[in-house]
Amino acid sequence: MSGLDRKTAFPAAGTLYPLYPLFFLIPIAFAMIVIENVFIFIKNILDKNPSMVMREAENKPEELL
């Protein structure tokens, strides 16, 4: 938290932007990803079919662009 006390900033487009929001946003985003993974793990334990798996098309020709 010393960066919050020092009031550090970074220059972008000729303006100084404070760094302190990043000190809070990055850990919050990491915590939210961990929570999402916990919910997906619980869902996979409770359901018989796993979620978030890649499935290939069954007997269909590939579409070309």
Side-chain angles (χ1 to χ4, degrees):
M1 300 311 293
S2 64
L4 187 60
D5 295 335
R6 288 186 290 163
K7 297 180 181 176
T8 56
F10 67 95
T15 306
L16 287 175
Y17 294 101
L19 275 178
Y20 72 87
L22 296 177
F23 296 143
F24 300 107
L25 291 177
I26 292 172
I28 290 170
F30 180 75
M32 292 175 73
I33 291 172
V34 168
I35 291 169
E36 179 185 10
N37 287 336
V38 167
F39 282 123
I40 291 172
F41 181 70
I42 291 171
K43 180 182 176 190
N44 283 339
I45 288 175
L46 297 177
D47 288 344
K48 297 295 179 188
N49 298 328
S51 63
M52 299 185 76
V53 294
M54 298 297 293
R55 295 184 185 167
E56 294 182 13
E58 297 174 5
N59 300 326
K60 291 183 181 178
E62 281 189 29
E63 294 182 14
L64 300 175
L65 296 176

